[in-house]
């Protein structure tokens, strides 16, 4: 059942309904454009904007070709390197060159005969696409276009270049986009007229068409923003902000209750602490308390770098709720984190008589029945658990506060689910991800934010060093010495784009090597393919000190605390995102012993890669790192956006559209204030916008009341 207005149907039709798109191309387009394995829709094709235009004017030499931007090169085919038989899935590579250097063209799953036809040995070709550095060597994966001299002469002086997939050329995509543009219906305007006029924004349909003609726009010139793309960017940001505002509005409007008591429990806990609260912790606790006693519900984000002491703030917030006679729940993203939280919290809470219980998916049935009964009866004050706490069968006697840790692993819906488990439940979301202001807006809308920007005193700074992989023997020597001194070591293996299997193989290989050098009983392995309990068991062995070196893929990223771990080695650090490196490094430096982080890289490094690693060496400040990341890479890569579930934008670019974001937020707020059911003329047009950007969950919420 769909509530979607039929006016939009042509845009939601599958791409296979376009002329010339047969099953083979349709499935290639699904891979390229379909989200979460779904069929690609005409809309997805239209939102797939060209990455630039190729014109023969931009023809350059191999040596000077910029990395990461579309280029056209005049080259000679120098060598063919078919995939070895033993590794059928390895790509077919073709080496091409000009007088200044060479580039490897890389093809996956393309029949050899096709490649030989396109690129005969010794032939001269114009090749368009994007160059990237792979192990210091230039490569171009699936060139956008390959032309011989005759084709080049006939080609238009400029044409759009689209992000590519196996088996569909940029040209073909251009043709399908042309057909798709004809299907765009006449849509009512959802943007405010005055705003649109002030910015010179074209109508939605016109903007789409113009955005697919990059040659008619000034390229790469930030001083002359392109109104068509900016219009679409604003549409996307507005849809996002409006969805957040809608989701939030029923919570705002529903009256809260007083979910904090006289402060006596909080005081007692603080008195038993062996250390004073940091200033930032005190501020956050007070902000939360204000929310808890307020007439409206709390929806607050507690943001603090790893080690800034969020757990304690959460505990004090929960104690406030218990003072008021309510229960509190804390949800962690993984079993092991839930148990770790529970242990810590129990240690602090037990002396004050607070009753704490753990609820996870792995409790034995009898144990679970007992916990659930106790929760329902109100015999438990604080429940700590995994998402198992959000399940239907879990009922509280009187839940007043829900705390969600590391929220980026959950969606808005889960946030709401827990919020519904009681009457007027206040919600506190904790994240260790340092989120620049601009991004906080996109992901959390106008949620209130408390920041722990101060670390507990006495922390030793982490000594971070950049080490070439060629010196790996020195590294293993140093590790052997560290082990002799009783240290514990994380060793993180590279993230390889090609496949999880390759990642795993690399980690296994490293594990075997280190086990041989350091002793088989001392080295453990944990990776993403392991089942939850297996993973937890490996982590626990490391935590207990049964093993002293933990080799892993990036699964240790989640905030597990092993305060004895003082060394972190990250292999191929140049392949990780800055935010990810920061999260990884945050696993050490938790105790009072000095810690060392070794970023192993494989040179030569490009300018950006060098700047990024240098940032890591220079600072431990998560916000600074996040801002730098945003500057160096754009928001798409930031925070590992995809893995963290923060949708990357299709149209908006936060580096250049930050001004639009603030405007969209204000716009959305005003809309929801005036027309929270979206029933006015503009409101109805805005519903269309929400569907177009797949932000219609808010609409379902409206209907559900
Ligand atoms: P986060 O969850 O923000 O990464 P934690 O809550 O795990 O940080 O705290 C990290 C460590 O710091 C814990 O061992 C905790 O006991 C300790 N800690 C918390 N607050 C303080 C403080 N004010 N002074 C000293 N140590 C603190
Ligand atoms: Mg924590």
């Amino acid at each position: 059942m769909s509530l979607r207005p039929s006016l939009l149907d042509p845009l939601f039709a599958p791409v296979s309904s376009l002329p010339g798109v047969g099953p083979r191309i349709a499935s290639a387009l699904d891979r390229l454009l379909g989200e979460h394995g779904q069929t690609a829709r005409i809309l997805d094709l239209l939102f797939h904007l060209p990455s630039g235009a190729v014109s023969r004017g931009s023809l350059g030499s191999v040596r000077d070709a910029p990395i990461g931007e579309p280029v056209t090169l005049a080259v000679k085919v120098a060598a063919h390197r078919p995939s070895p038989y033993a590794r059928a899935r390895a790509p077919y590579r073709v080496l091409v060159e000009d007088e200044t250097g060479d580039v490897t063209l890389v093809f996956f799953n393309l029949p050899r005969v096709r490649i030989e036809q396109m690129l005969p040995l010794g032939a001269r070709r114009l090749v368009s696409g994007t160059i990237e550095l792979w192990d210091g060597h230039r490569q171009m994966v699936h060139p956008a276009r390959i032309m011989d001299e005759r084709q080049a002469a006939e080609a238009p002086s400029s044409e759009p270049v689209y992000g590519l997939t196996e088996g569909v050329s940029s040209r073909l995509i251009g043709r399908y986009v042309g057909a798709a543009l004809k299907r765009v219906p006449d849509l009512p305007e959802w943007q405010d007229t005055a705003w649109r006029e002030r910015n010179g924004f074209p109508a939605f349909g016109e903007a789409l068409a113009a955005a697919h003609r990059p040659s008619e726009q000034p390229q790469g010139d930030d001083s002359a923003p392109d109104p068509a793309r900016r219009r679409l960017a604003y549409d996307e940001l507005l849809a996002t902000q409006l969805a957040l505002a809608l989701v939030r509005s029923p919570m705002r409007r529903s009256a809260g209750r007083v979910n904090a008591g006289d402060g006596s429990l909080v005081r007692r806990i603080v008195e038993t602490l062996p250390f004073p609260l940091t200033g930032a912790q005190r501020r956050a606790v007070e902000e939360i308390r204000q929310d808890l006693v307020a007439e409206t519900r709390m929806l607050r984000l507690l943001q603090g770098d790893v080690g800034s002491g969020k757990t304690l703030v959460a505990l004090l917030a929960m104690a406030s709720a218990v003072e008021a006679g309510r229960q509190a729940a804390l949800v962690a993203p993984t079993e092991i984190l839930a148990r770790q939280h529970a242990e810590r919290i129990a240690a602090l809470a037990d002396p004050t008589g607070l009753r704490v219980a753990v609820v996870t998916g792995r409790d034995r049935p009898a144990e679970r029945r007992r916990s659930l009964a106790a929760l329902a009866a109100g015999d438990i004050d604080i429940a700590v658990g995994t998402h198992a706490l959000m399940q239907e069968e879990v009922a509280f006697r009187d839940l007043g506060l829900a705390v969600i840790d590391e929220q980026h692993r959950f969606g808005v819906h889960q946030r709401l689910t827990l919020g519904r488990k009681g009457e007027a439940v206040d919600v506190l979301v904790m994240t260790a991800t340092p989120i620049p202001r601009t991004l906080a807006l996109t992901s959390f809308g106008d949620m209130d934010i408390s920041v722990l920007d101060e670390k507990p005193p006495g922390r030793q700074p982490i000594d971070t060093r950049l080490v070439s992989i060629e010196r790996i023997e020195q590294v293993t020597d140093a590790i052997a010495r560290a082990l002799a001194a009783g240290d514990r070591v994380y060793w993180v293996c590279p993230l390889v784009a090609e496949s999880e299997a390759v990642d795993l193989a690399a980690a296994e290989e490293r594990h075997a090597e280190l086990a041989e050098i350091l002793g088989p009983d001392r080295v453990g392995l944990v990776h993403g393919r392991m089942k939850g309990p297996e993973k937890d068991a490996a982590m626990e062995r490391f935590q207990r000190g049964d093993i002293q070196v933990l080799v892993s893929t990036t699964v240790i990223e989640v905030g597990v605390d092993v305060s004895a771990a003082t060394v972190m080695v990250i292999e191929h650090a140049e392949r990780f995102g800055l935010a990810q490196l920061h999260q990884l490094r945050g696993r050490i430096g938790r105790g009072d012993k000095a810690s060392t982080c070794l970023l192993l890289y494989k040179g030569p490094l490009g300018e950006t890669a060098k700047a990024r690693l240098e940032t890591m060496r220079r600072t431990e400040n998560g916000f600074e790192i996040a801002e730098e990341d945003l500057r160096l890479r754009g928001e798409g890569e930031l925070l590992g956006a995809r893995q963290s579930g923060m949708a990357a934008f299709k149209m908006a670019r936060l580096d250049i559209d930050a001004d639009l974001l603030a405007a969209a937020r204000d716009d959305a707020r005003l809309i929801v204030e005036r027309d929270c059911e979206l029933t006015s003329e503009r409101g109805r047009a805005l519903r269309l916008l929400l569907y177009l950007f797949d932000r219609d969950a808010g609409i379902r919420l409206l209907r559900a009341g």
Side-chain angles (χ1 to χ4, degrees):
M1 182 206 69
S2 168
L3 307 167
R4 192 179 64 223
S6 56
L7 178 63
L8 296 178
D9 287 350
L11 294 174
F12 284 78
V15 286
S16 58
S17 66
L18 289 171
V21 180
R24 191 184 61 80
I25 289 187
S27 76
L29 290 175
D30 288 349
R31 272 199 306 280
L32 174 67
L33 305 169
E35 304 221 334
H36 319 298
Q38 286 170 358
T39 308
R41 307 160 304 180
I42 288 184
L43 185 64
D44 299 317
L45 186 61
L46 289 169
F47 282 169
H48 182 57
L49 297 188
S51 54
V54 191
S55 65
R56 271 166 291 149
S58 70
L59 209 76
S61 67
V62 169
R63 190 188 52 214
D64 299 328
I67 306 295
E69 284 170 34
V71 291
T72 298
L73 304 167
V75 289
K76 201 170 120 186
V77 180
H80 275 239
R81 295 182 181 147
S83 28
Y85 287 107
R87 294 182 55 210
R89 295 198 49 199
Y92 191 108
R93 298 170 200 271
V94 178
L95 189 74
V96 299
E97 61 184 13
D98 68 7
E99 302 72 38
T100 66
D102 55 28
V103 182
T104 303
L105 309 181
V106 180
F107 300 91
F108 290 93
N109 294 334
L110 205 60
R112 179 171 181 161
V113 280
R114 283 272 314 280
I115 300 175
E116 284 170 345
Q117 266 166 15
M118 286 188 303
L119 296 159
L121 203 61
R124 300 207 156 270
R125 289 288 181 269
L126 283 192
V127 176
S128 308
T130 307
I131 295 184
E132 53 194 62
L133 279 183
W134 185 254
D135 276 3
H137 186 81
R138 292 184 191 86
Q139 72 169 29
M140 186 185 280
V141 180
H142 288 265
R145 277 205 80 185
I146 297 174
M147 293 179 279
D148 61 25
E149 273 147 12
R150 192 179 51 82
Q151 287 166 326
E154 287 167 4
S157 65
S158 167
E159 65 182 89
V161 174
Y162 290 96
L164 281 221
T165 189
E166 298 146 21
V168 193
S169 67
S170 176
R171 255 252 176 107
L172 265 182
I173 291 185
R175 195 184 305 157
Y176 302 141
V177 166
L181 282 168
K182 296 205 181 85
R183 304 269 178 101
V184 180
D186 226 353
L187 298 173
E189 182 56 67
W190 46 77
Q191 287 197 17
D192 177 70
T193 312
W195 162 258
R196 230 191 89 191
E197 281 169 3
R198 183 142 38 91
N199 285 281
F201 286 167
F204 178 72
E206 278 172 47
L208 265 182
H212 283 283
R213 288 188 308 257
S215 55
E216 295 177 17
Q217 300 154 11
Q219 277 297 305
D221 181 4
D222 289 352
S223 63
D226 154 27
R229 198 200 56 78
R230 291 264 290 176
R231 142 120 218 178
L232 298 173
Y234 188 76
D235 283 342
E236 180 168 40
L237 294 170
L238 181 59
T240 313
Q241 292 301 307
L242 184 56
L244 284 165
L246 286 173
V247 165
R248 184 167 181 187
S249 85
M251 297 194 78
R252 271 272 142 153
R253 279 178 294 129
S254 68
R257 298 183 298 169
V258 177
N259 280 337
D262 58 6
S264 55
L265 253 176
V266 171
R267 250 193 320 276
R268 254 188 292 158
I269 295 174
V270 171
E271 278 164 10
T272 62
L273 292 174
F275 44 70
L277 296 182
T278 64
Q281 281 172 320
R282 239 177 298 124
R283 270 196 305 281
V285 168
E286 183 50 33
E287 282 164 358
I288 292 166
R289 203 191 133 69
Q290 297 283 345
D291 283 0
L292 290 175
V293 298
E295 300 274 294
T296 47
R297 283 215 222 170
M298 169 169 79
L299 187 53
R300 181 171 287 277
L301 180 69
L302 176 62
Q303 197 186 336
D305 223 337
V306 281
S308 57
K310 293 183 294 297
T311 312
L312 185 53
V313 173
L315 169 62
L316 296 177
M318 294 194 289
S320 294
V322 177
E323 281 167 5
R326 319 240 187 272
Q327 291 165 294
L330 189 156
V331 184
T334 66
E335 172 94 14
I336 189 167
L337 275 176
R339 295 199 178 278
Q340 182 178 292
H341 275 313
E343 256 167 53
R344 291 234 189 112
I345 285 174
L348 293 169
D350 285 350
T352 60
L354 276 169
R355 296 161 298 180
V356 180
V358 192
V359 178
T360 77
R362 275 188 236 143
D363 299 331
R364 276 184 297 277
E367 199 184 331
R368 182 176 174 78
R369 266 196 307 278
R370 233 183 356 258
S371 313
L372 293 192
L375 269 184
D379 294 337
I380 290 174
D381 299 311
I382 295 179
V384 180
T386 56
H387 56 272
L389 266 180
M390 299 190 199
Q391 283 158 6
E392 195 97 21
E393 49 169 345
V394 179
F396 292 81
R397 190 181 60 80
D398 187 7
L399 183 65
L401 171 65
V403 182
I404 302 183
D405 189 16
E406 310 277 358
Q407 98 83 34
H408 54 277
R409 311 224 163 203
F410 300 111
V412 168
H413 290 288
Q414 275 136 320
R415 216 143 79 190
L416 292 173
T417 309
L418 200 61
R420 288 208 193 95
K421 285 211 175 282
E423 182 200 331
V425 176
D426 285 313
V427 176
L428 178 69
V429 175
M430 302 199 288
T431 177
T433 311
I435 306 168
R437 267 271 148 204
T438 45
L439 274 189
L441 284 181
T442 67
S443 309
F444 303 102
D446 51 357
M447 220 170 155
D448 299 306
I449 301 182
S450 295
V451 181
L452 296 183
D453 51 5
E454 184 183 346
K455 283 204 181 173
R459 290 286 156 80
Q460 301 253 12
I462 298 173
D463 180 13
T464 299
R465 299 184 200 174
L466 314 185
V467 183
S468 164
I469 188 84
E470 282 160 25
R471 288 166 50 202
I472 190 160
E473 273 169 35
Q474 278 161 270
V475 173
T476 48
D477 285 352
I479 300 254
R481 283 196 301 276
L483 293 190
D487 288 345
R488 253 170 268 167
V489 179
Y490 287 108
W491 188 299
V492 182
C493 283
L495 195 70
V496 181
E498 273 179 52
S499 82
E500 201 189 333
V502 178
D503 279 3
L504 182 51
E508 277 170 344
E509 202 171 304
R510 184 61 74 210
H511 171 246
E513 267 178 43
L514 291 174
E516 198 178 310
I517 299 171
L518 303 168
D521 304 337
R522 316 187 86 173
V523 189
L525 175 67
V526 55
H527 58 75
R529 285 264 182 96
M530 287 164 107
K531 296 225 162 47
E534 249 182 304
K535 231 187 283 188
D536 289 353
M539 290 297 317
E540 275 161 25
R541 290 204 308 137
F542 184 60
Q543 207 163 20
R544 280 199 306 266
D546 298 350
I547 50 175
Q548 290 97 52
V549 181
L550 188 66
V551 178
S552 73
T553 52
T554 49
V555 291
I556 57 161
E557 199 184 340
V558 198
V560 173
D561 202 353
V562 180
S563 55
T566 52
V567 181
M568 162 83 48
V569 182
I570 303 177
E571 237 182 284
H572 274 299
E574 76 278 6
R575 292 187 190 164
F576 287 89
L578 270 191
Q580 211 176 3
L581 288 176
H582 176 67
Q583 292 290 322
L584 287 169
R585 184 173 58 182
R587 301 298 113 221
I588 57 170
R590 304 200 136 210
D592 42 19
K593 271 178 93 178
S595 296
T596 309
C597 175
L598 301 177
L599 301 176
L600 303 190
Y601 64 88
K602 172 142 190 194
L605 292 175
E607 282 304 307
T608 310
K610 213 180 285 172
R612 292 171 58 235
L613 294 183
E614 196 48 43
T615 303
M616 290 302 297
R617 210 187 50 72
R618 194 182 65 235
T619 178
E620 271 183 66
N621 180 324
F623 287 95
E624 208 176 301
I625 291 172
E627 296 288 352
E628 188 67 4
D629 205 13
L630 188 60
R631 199 182 65 74
L632 290 171
R633 301 181 66 143
E635 83 287 350
E637 298 282 344
L638 189 74
L639 313 175
R642 232 175 312 151
Q643 119 195 20
S644 68
M646 276 197 232
F649 290 105
K650 295 174 181 148
M651 304 287 165
R653 288 186 39 197
L654 293 184
D655 48 347
I656 49 183
D657 299 324
D659 57 326
L660 294 183
L661 179 59
R665 186 188 60 160
D666 294 345
D667 201 357
R669 241 187 215 168
L670 219 62
I671 292 164
V672 172
E673 251 165 49
R674 287 186 190 153
D675 179 24
C676 69
E677 296 295 322
L678 299 186
T679 47
S680 68
E681 193 181 334
R682 185 179 178 207
R684 284 197 306 276
L686 282 161
R687 287 178 180 235
L688 299 176
L689 173 69
L690 291 173
Y691 281 108
L692 287 175
F693 285 94
D694 295 316
R695 302 278 199 249
D696 45 300
I699 294 179
R700 280 196 294 277
L701 218 71
L702 291 185
R703 303 282 297 233

